[in-house]
Amino acid sequence: MKTILSFLCISSLLLSTAQNLLPSDSQVIQSSLEKMEQMAQTSPFKNLVFKNIGPTVMSGRVVDVDINPADPTEMLVAYASGGLWYSTNNGTSFTPIMDNASTINLGDIAVDWDSRTIWAGTGENNSSRSSYAGIGILKSTDWGKTWNPPMLTDSHHIGRILIDPKDTDHVVVAVTGPLYSASDHRGIYTTKDGGANWEKTLFATNMAGFIDLAAAPEDFNVLYTASWEKDRKAWNFDGDGAASAIYKSTDAGESWTKITTATSGFPMGTNVGRIGLAVYDARTVYAIHDSQFRRAKEDAGTNKKEGQNLSKDDFKSMSKEDFLQLEDQRLNAFLKQNGFQEKYRAENVKNMVRAGDATPLDVAKYLENANTQLFDTPVKGAELYRSNDGGTTWNKTHDKQIDGVFYSYGYYFAQVRVDPSDVDHVYVMGVPIIKSDDAGKSWMSISKENVHADHHALWINPNKRGHLINGNDGGLNISYDDGATWIKNNSPAVGQFYAINFDMEQPYHVYGGLQDNGVWVGAHDAREDRSWHQKGQYPWETIMGGDGMQIQIDSRNSDLVYTGYQFGNYYRIDRNKEQQTYIQPKHELGESPYRFNWQTPILLSSHNQDILYLGGNKLHRSMNQGDDWTAISPDLTQGGKEGNVAYGTLSSISESPFQFGLIYTGSDDGLVQITKDSGASWNSIKGDWPANLWVSRVVSSQHKKERVYVTLNGYRFDDFTTYVYKSDDYGQTWKSIGEALPTAPANVIIEHPKKGNILFVGTDNASYISTDTGATWELLNNGMPPVAVHDIKIQPVANDLLIGTHGRSIYTANLDALELLNDKGFAFAKIDKTRASSRYGSKGFMWSKEPEPKIKLSFYTKMPGKVTIEVLNEKGKTIYENAITTDQGLNFYNYDGTVGAYALKRFDKEHQPEKADNGKYYLPKGTYSVKLSGNSSTTAQELIVE
C-alpha cells in the first residue's frame, strides 16, 4: 500500500510540475532564428548538399490557394508545413519561393497581384497534432526573393489575412494564437501603413482566437470574423466554447459588434465549435458550424454494423442476468464481427461473467480505443447557416443533419465557400468536399477517386462557373466541371513524414509513413520526374493506408514488413505473397484496454528478427513475428489522463545491440524506463529535465553499452526548448547536450553506425550534426528549407544519411566525406574511377544536352582560402588547372574531365585527345594525378580513366 501511495504522490508531483512548463518567448525564438542564420554561414558542413528524393505523388496538406484574378493559370499554393509554391502554368509545375524565409509553416496567405506583394501568415490554423507554430506575419515585396522581418511575432497561428483592394497598405489579420496555451495576443489586428504599425481592434478571450475573416466583395468596410474557443492538451481537445461567435465590422475592422446573440438564431453556448465564413455580399453570409452540441438520442444512431443485432452500447447498461440470457448465436455474431480474440466466444465469455471475472460492461470497454472518440461521439457536426440581413438573423439551411462530413473532428475543417456568380451555389469542406445548388438544402459529394478525402482550401473562378482549385491533405486538384472530374497537380515534394526506414537491398529501398497518406516504399535512387507518366507506374508504391506510421523491415527478407496506421493498428505484410496480418496486441476481457499512441512505436530486435516489440502503455513482445504477444512490463507511464486523446502511452523503444533484453522506453508523459533482464524488472531513470515532456526518442548507443540518449519535446505545452541528453551509466546520471542548439523542439537523435562521436539531431525546423558526441553542433541545411525533421536514418552500406521531414518529403546526403575530418588542416578523398568516352561533348540524340563526365573531388580544409586544383599526366605535366575559393570544412568540386588546349602537346600523339563537338578536349584513358595546393599545404590523389 505504501508503494502505491508513493507512486500516486510521485505522479501527482509530476503532473503538477507540468504547470511550470511555460510557452517559449517570441524574442527567444527570434534570437534562435538569427543564430541559425549565423550557423548556416559558418558551418563546416555547409557545402554538404542534400538531395530531395521525393516522393511527390501523394503530396501533403494544403492550407490556402491564391489565384491571379487576371490569369487563373498563375497561382500560389500554401502548404501547412511545406512552404509556398508558385506556378505560372496552371499547376503543371511549381517553384518554391519561401525557402529563404525563417519558417515555411503556413496558415494563410494574401496576395496583391498588381504590386506582386505577398503576405504570409505563418503557423497553421487547423489545430491538428502536427500543426506547427509560425513566427508571425511575413511580407515580401519582390515575389519571395526577400522577406521582411516578422510582424505580430506572438501570434503562433494565423487564421486569415485580408488586403483592402482599394488601399493595399491596409491589411486585416485574424490571429488564432497558440495551439496549446492561453494567450492575450489572440485577436483581430489591422495595419494602415503596410505593416509598420499594428492595432488590435478585437479581442475575445485568452483561449478564443480568430479562425476566419471575410469581406463583402463590393465593400471592404463590411467585414465578418469568427472567434473560436478551444483548449488543446496532449490528452484532450475541447474544440468548442461559449466564446466562439461571429462578429461584424462596418468600418473596415476599426470596431466590431458581436452578431451571434440570443435572438439571432445562430447557436450559442459552450458547445459552439469552429465557424467558417463565406460572404456573397454585404447582406448575404454563410456560416458553417462544427456543432459540438449532442444529438438527440433518437438521432444519435447506434454503433451497430449492418446485419448485426447487438451494438457495443447495448452492453454498457446490460445486467448480468440479461447478458446470460443472450442467445449464443447472437452473441457470437457480435464477438466475431468486432474482432474479439478466438478465446472469447459466447460460452467462455458467459462463464467469465457468471464467475464474476468479467461484466457486460467489459465487453463494451474491450472495443474502446482512441478512434472511438473520433467516430462514436454523437455530436451534431456540420451545420450550415445563412443570413440575408447582414448577420442580424440566421437560419439553418437544412432540415436533417449533414452526416459523414465532420464526424467529431470538424475542428480540422469547418470551411465554406459561395460561388461569386450564384448566391445559392455553396461548398463545404470536410471529409469529403460537398456542394449544394439550392443554398444548402440538399448536398452531394464532389470528391473523386483521385482526390484526397480531407479538404481545407477552395478557390472558385468568378468568371467561369465550375472552375475550382482545391487544396486538401493530398495536395492540389483542379476541376473545370464543378467537381465532376479533377486533375491532380502534385509535383512538389511536400510529403509530411512521421517515420522513415530502409532495407538492405541493392539498390536499397526507403520506406516512410505519412500524415493521412499511408505508408510508401521506393528505391532510394528512383527517378523523381514525369517519366512515369509515360511508363504508367510511379516508382514509389503504397503499402498501407490511414496515417502511415513506423516501419520495421526484416533484415533477412525485405518482403516482410511491419507497419500500420494511427493508434497502434499494425500489420505484418508479406509483400511477395501480398498478405496482411493484423498484429495489434489485445488486452484480456475485464482488463483495462491498452492505450496506444498516435504514433505507436515498434521495433524488431537486432538479436533475432522474429522478435518484435510494440509499445502501448505497456511494452509487448512477440517471439513469433507478431502472432502472439506477451506484456513484459507493467504500465510504464504515469497512468493516463481522462480525455478524448490517447495519453499515457509509450512513444519510443530502444534495445541495446550489445545485450538482448537491455531495453529502454520513453513515454508521452515524460517517463524513461530501463530493463536489463527482458522486462523482469524495470527502473525509472530521470534526468533534470522538466516533468511531463513528451519523450520523442530514447536511443541505446551502438558504440558503448552503458550509453543512452534521450530527446524530449515540449511542443504540446508551446515550450520550444531543445531538450537533448546523454548518459554514460545506463541513465543513472544525465548530461544536457542540447543547450548550444537553436531553440526548437527535438524530435530525433541518432549515432553514426561506425563513428560513435558523430551524432545527428532533428528538430522542428532543422537538422544538426555533432562530431564530438554533442559538445558542439553544426547546422545541416544545404538544399533543405527550415522544415520539421521527424526521423533520421543512416543506411550503413551506402553510408547515406536519410532525413524524413514533415513537410518536404525525404532528403539524402552521402556521408563518405566525413572520413576527411581531421585536425591536420588538409585532406583529400580518394577519387572514383571514371570512363573515357568519345561521346563526351558530342551533340546528343533528339537535342539532348551533350554528355560530360562528372568527377567529384571531395576535400577538407581547416582554413578558408584559395586552393589550386591541378591535373597532371603520368610525366607530371599539368594538363588542367583551376583556382577556387574554399570554405572552412568540407568542400566539393565537380571536375568535368576537360584538358586545356595548351596541354595537348603534353600528350603522346597516339593518346592526344580530339576536339569534341562542343569545342572541349576530354581526358583519354590513363592514370593521372589530381593535386590540391593551398593553405601552405599540398595533397594529391590518383585519378584512373578507363
Side-chain angles (χ1 to χ4, degrees):
M1 186 65 177
K2 290 182 180 179
T3 303
I4 295 174
L5 289 174
S6 175
F7 176 77
L8 289 174
C9 290
I10 293 171
S11 297
S12 177
L13 176 63
L14 289 172
L15 290 171
S16 65
T17 309
Q19 304 305 315
N20 298 324
L21 286 169
L22 299 177
S24 296
D25 186 87
S26 62
Q27 292 182 348
V28 173
I29 300 300
Q30 191 57 43
S31 297
S32 177
L33 295 175
E34 293 170 1
K35 181 178 181 179
M36 283 181 62
E37 291 182 9
Q38 296 170 0
M39 293 177 74
Q41 298 299 317
T42 61
S43 173
F45 303 95
K46 68 180 182 180
N47 294 320
L48 183 65
V49 178
F50 284 83
K51 176 186 177 183
N52 192 294
I53 62 171
T56 61
V57 72
M58 76 295 294
S59 194
R61 186 161 66 251
V62 172
V63 293
D64 197 18
V65 294
D66 209 304
I67 315 301
N68 185 347
D71 179 8
T73 66
E74 185 180 17
M75 66 187 72
L76 285 172
V77 179
Y79 293 83
S81 55
L84 187 59
W85 293 73
Y86 175 52
S87 175
T88 59
N89 54 17
N90 204 34
T92 304
S93 62
F94 286 89
T95 302
I97 63 169
M98 199 177 174
D99 288 7
N100 57 341
S102 297
T103 184
I104 60 170
N105 301 328
L106 290 170
D108 192 60
I109 58 171
V111 182
D112 176 18
W113 289 93
D114 292 332
S115 67
R116 315 296 284 181
T117 298
I118 305 170
W119 295 78
T122 67
E124 184 188 2
N125 57 38
N126 287 318
S127 299
S128 77
R129 51 181 42 83
S130 59
S131 291
Y132 287 103
I135 57 174
I137 299 288
L138 300 180
K139 179 184 178 182
S140 175
T141 57
D142 54 12
W143 208 246
K145 293 185 177 69
T146 59
W147 296 88
N148 289 0
M151 302 165 275
L152 304 179
T153 54
D154 290 299
S155 57
H156 279 232
H157 300 267
I158 300 296
R160 195 75 73 197
I161 306 172
L162 294 183
I163 303 172
D164 187 338
K166 295 182 178 179
D167 178 7
T168 56
D169 282 335
H170 179 205
V171 177
V172 186
V173 175
V175 171
T176 307
L179 182 56
Y180 286 94
S181 56
S183 172
D184 290 334
H185 296 286
R186 306 182 199 274
I188 297 293
Y189 292 79
T190 66
T191 179
K192 294 182 178 180
D193 52 17
N197 297 282
W198 292 87
E199 179 185 1
K200 181 160 69 172
T201 62
L202 179 60
F203 176 76
T205 73
N206 63 5
M207 294 299 289
F210 289 83
I211 189 63
D212 210 352
L213 177 67
E218 77 280 15
D219 185 0
F220 193 79
N221 285 309
V222 180
L223 300 176
Y224 297 85
T225 188
S227 60
W228 181 26
E229 180 176 345
K230 58 181 173 57
D231 183 9
R232 179 147 209 158
K233 297 290 187 288
W235 55 89
N236 189 67
F237 186 21
D238 288 330
D240 54 0
S244 299
I246 302 175
Y247 295 79
K248 181 180 180 179
S249 173
T250 56
D251 52 14
E254 289 294 302
S255 62
W256 297 87
T257 301
K258 184 178 178 181
I259 59 174
T260 46
T261 64
T263 60
S264 68
F266 196 88
M268 294 181 63
T270 56
N271 296 116
V272 177
R274 178 173 172 172
I275 301 168
L277 301 170
V279 180
Y280 181 78
D281 56 31
R283 296 186 61 78
T284 312
V285 187
Y286 286 96
I288 184 69
H289 174 219
D290 172 32
S291 175
Q292 294 300 294
F293 289 92
R294 301 293 165 172
R295 298 190 182 197
K297 188 172 183 181
E298 60 272 15
D299 188 42
T302 70
N303 294 300
K304 296 180 182 181
K305 296 184 179 181
E306 186 177 351
Q308 180 179 315
N309 293 321
L310 291 168
S311 76
K312 179 182 69 176
D313 290 342
D314 291 332
F315 296 96
K316 292 182 177 180
S317 58
M318 188 178 292
S319 68
K320 175 180 178 180
E321 291 72 21
D322 288 342
F323 182 85
L324 295 176
Q325 291 299 317
L326 289 174
E327 294 179 3
D328 285 358
Q329 183 178 1
R330 188 181 178 206
L331 180 56
N332 274 329
F334 172 85
L335 297 172
K336 291 179 180 178
Q337 290 173 12
N338 284 276
F340 280 70
Q341 298 177 63
E342 282 293 331
K343 62 183 177 181
Y344 296 131
R345 291 298 176 254
E347 183 178 355
N348 294 337
V349 175
K350 284 184 177 181
N351 285 336
M352 293 176 68
V353 171
R354 191 177 287 111
D357 296 328
T359 68
L361 179 60
D362 291 328
V363 175
K365 286 184 175 180
Y366 187 86
L367 299 174
E368 298 288 345
N369 56 46
N371 282 327
T372 303
Q373 293 291 338
L374 292 177
F375 298 106
D376 287 0
T377 307
V379 296
K380 290 185 176 180
E383 292 185 333
L384 185 68
Y385 288 80
R386 174 170 161 170
S387 175
N388 296 316
D389 54 12
T392 302
T393 60
W394 298 84
N395 291 288
K396 193 164 67 170
T397 67
H398 45 96
D399 295 326
K400 296 181 179 180
Q401 292 299 141
I402 308 176
D403 286 324
V405 177
F406 282 2
Y407 300 95
S408 63
Y409 51 105
Y411 67 83
Y412 192 52
F413 311 106
Q415 299 222 37
V416 60
R417 300 288 186 272
V418 60
D419 189 333
S421 65
D422 184 349
V423 68
D424 294 330
H425 196 196
V426 62
Y427 305 81
V428 166
M429 282 165 277
V431 185
I433 182 172
I434 59 176
K435 75 173 181 180
S436 172
D437 292 322
D438 54 12
K441 294 183 181 66
S442 61
W443 298 90
M444 66 176 293
S445 170
I446 57 172
S447 278
K448 299 299 176 182
E449 68 278 0
N450 64 335
V451 182
H452 196 283
D454 294 9
H455 298 266
H456 306 283
L458 184 68
W459 176 82
I460 306 166
N461 191 335
N463 302 313
K464 184 178 178 61
R465 185 179 175 97
H467 179 198
L468 309 175
I469 299 181
N470 169 238
N472 50 67
D473 273 15
L476 191 75
N477 290 87
I478 299 176
S479 176
Y480 285 94
D481 50 19
D482 209 22
T485 56
W486 294 89
I487 306 165
K488 204 169 190 68
N489 299 80
N490 289 351
S491 58
V494 289
Q496 296 176 296
F497 280 89
Y498 287 118
I500 61 171
N501 214 333
F502 58 83
D503 62 25
M504 303 302 290
E505 299 295 322
Q506 300 217 8
Y508 69 87
H509 296 83
V510 180
Y511 302 71
L514 300 103
Q515 188 276 326
D516 214 9
N517 280 298
V519 179
W520 291 70
V521 56
H524 79 280
D525 55 356
R527 289 178 60 181
E528 190 54 62
D529 57 24
R530 288 179 169 82
S531 61
W532 70 274
H533 291 193
Q534 185 70 13
K535 297 175 182 177
Q537 179 64 52
Y538 188 64
W540 289 69
E541 174 190 356
T542 180
I543 59 174
M544 179 62 59
D547 284 84
M549 293 298 156
Q550 296 187 10
I551 314 100
Q552 293 287 293
I553 305 99
D554 194 317
S555 61
R556 306 162 303 182
N557 175 12
S558 62
D559 283 331
L560 201 59
V561 179
Y562 301 84
T563 190
Y565 56 89
Q566 64 267 37
F567 296 125
N569 289 285
Y570 277 96
Y571 294 78
R572 181 180 68 245
I573 302 173
D574 188 323
R575 297 183 63 206
N576 182 49
K577 297 179 180 178
E578 298 183 347
Q579 292 179 348
Q580 289 188 357
T581 304
Y582 188 65
I583 59 169
Q584 186 186 71
K586 290 292 184 182
H587 60 283
E588 299 296 325
L589 189 63
E591 182 183 14
S592 295
Y594 297 140
R595 300 185 299 275
F596 295 101
N597 194 276
W598 174 261
Q599 187 187 155
T600 295
I602 57 170
L603 178 69
L604 276 174
S605 174
S606 61
H607 303 280
N608 184 332
Q609 292 284 280
D610 287 332
I611 299 176
L612 180 67
Y613 299 101
L614 189 151
N617 53 308
K618 300 178 179 181
L619 182 63
H620 304 272
R621 183 183 66 197
S622 173
M623 306 295 286
N624 55 4
Q625 303 180 333
D627 284 339
D628 301 291
W629 293 95
T630 301
I632 61 170
S633 78
D635 192 329
L636 296 176
T637 76
Q638 295 187 47
K641 296 190 70 173
E642 184 177 352
N644 55 21
V645 180
Y647 185 73
T649 64
L650 295 184
S651 51
S652 185
I653 307 167
S654 183
E655 183 180 37
S656 171
F658 292 98
Q659 177 186 327
F660 174 70
L662 172 54
I663 305 168
Y664 298 89
T665 65
S667 71
D668 59 6
D669 55 6
L671 300 188
V672 181
Q673 311 261 15
I674 181 176
T675 178
K676 296 180 180 180
D677 49 20
S678 296
S681 60
W682 289 87
N683 290 296
S684 178
I685 47 179
K686 177 75 171 68
D688 60 356
W689 53 76
N692 304 318
L693 291 168
W694 192 289
V695 180
S696 51
R697 284 296 191 284
V698 55
V699 177
S700 180
S701 173
Q702 302 176 64
H703 301 280
K704 186 176 180 181
K705 184 178 180 181
E706 302 86 359
R707 180 171 293 169
V708 59
Y709 297 92
V710 166
T711 61
L712 303 104
N713 188 307
Y715 163 88
R716 291 159 186 83
F717 298 96
D718 291 320
D719 173 11
F720 303 143
T721 308
T722 312
Y723 298 105
V724 186
Y725 294 84
K726 180 187 74 171
S727 172
D728 280 324
D729 55 10
Y730 299 104
Q732 295 305 301
T733 61
W734 294 90
K735 177 183 179 181
S736 173
I737 59 172
E739 295 172 359
L741 288 164
T743 300
N747 298 316
V748 56
I749 185 169
I750 68 165
E751 294 176 312
H752 191 283
K754 297 178 181 177
K755 295 180 177 293
N757 60 305
I758 297 181
L759 304 175
F760 298 89
V761 158
T763 71
D764 274 358
N765 62 2
S767 301
Y768 299 90
I769 181 175
S770 173
T771 57
D772 50 18
T773 327
T776 60
W777 295 92
E778 301 291 349
L779 180 66
L780 298 172
N781 75 332
N782 192 336
M784 281 193 296
V787 63
V789 174
H790 272 221
D791 204 0
I792 301 177
K793 293 287 191 294
I794 296 175
Q795 213 284 350
V797 177
N799 200 23
D800 286 345
L801 180 67
L802 297 163
I803 297 182
T805 74
H806 199 80
R808 292 299 277 271
S809 295
I810 302 171
Y811 289 86
T812 183
N814 185 265
L815 299 179
D816 287 349
L818 298 187
E819 298 288 342
L820 301 173
L821 302 179
N822 63 67
D823 296 324
K824 298 177 182 178
F826 213 6
F828 190 8
K830 291 182 179 180
I831 306 171
D832 292 336
K833 295 178 181 180
T834 190
R835 283 189 167 277
S837 174
S838 60
R839 295 183 61 247
Y840 291 149
S842 63
K843 291 182 179 178
F845 175 69
M846 294 283 290
W847 304 97
S848 61
K849 187 176 180 181
E850 61 268 9
E852 283 190 316
K854 294 180 180 179
I855 303 170
K856 185 177 181 180
L857 309 181
S858 305
F859 57 97
Y860 170 84
T861 59
K862 194 171 185 179
M863 300 291 293
K866 183 178 178 181
V867 169
T868 300
I869 301 172
E870 292 180 86
V871 180
L872 298 85
N873 62 15
E874 291 178 332
K875 297 179 180 179
K877 300 293 184 178
T878 301
I879 57 175
Y880 172 89
E881 185 174 12
N882 190 24
I884 62 172
T885 300
T886 62
D887 297 306
Q888 176 187 357
L890 296 178
N891 290 268
F892 303 93
Y893 179 80
N894 286 319
Y895 170 44
D896 63 3
T898 56
V899 174
Y902 67 88
L904 294 177
K905 59 186 178 182
R906 297 175 181 175
F907 288 88
D908 296 334
K909 286 187 177 181
E910 62 271 23
H911 296 116
Q912 196 174 82
E914 297 182 359
K915 182 184 287 189
D917 292 345
N918 62 1
K920 297 180 181 180
Y921 299 90
Y922 293 91
L923 290 173
K925 294 180 181 179
T927 301
Y928 304 88
S929 177
V930 180
K931 184 172 72 171
L932 305 181
S933 304
N935 295 323
S936 303
S937 300
T938 298
T939 184
Q941 287 288 357
E942 183 180 72
L943 169 60
I944 298 175
V945 180
E946 298 178 328

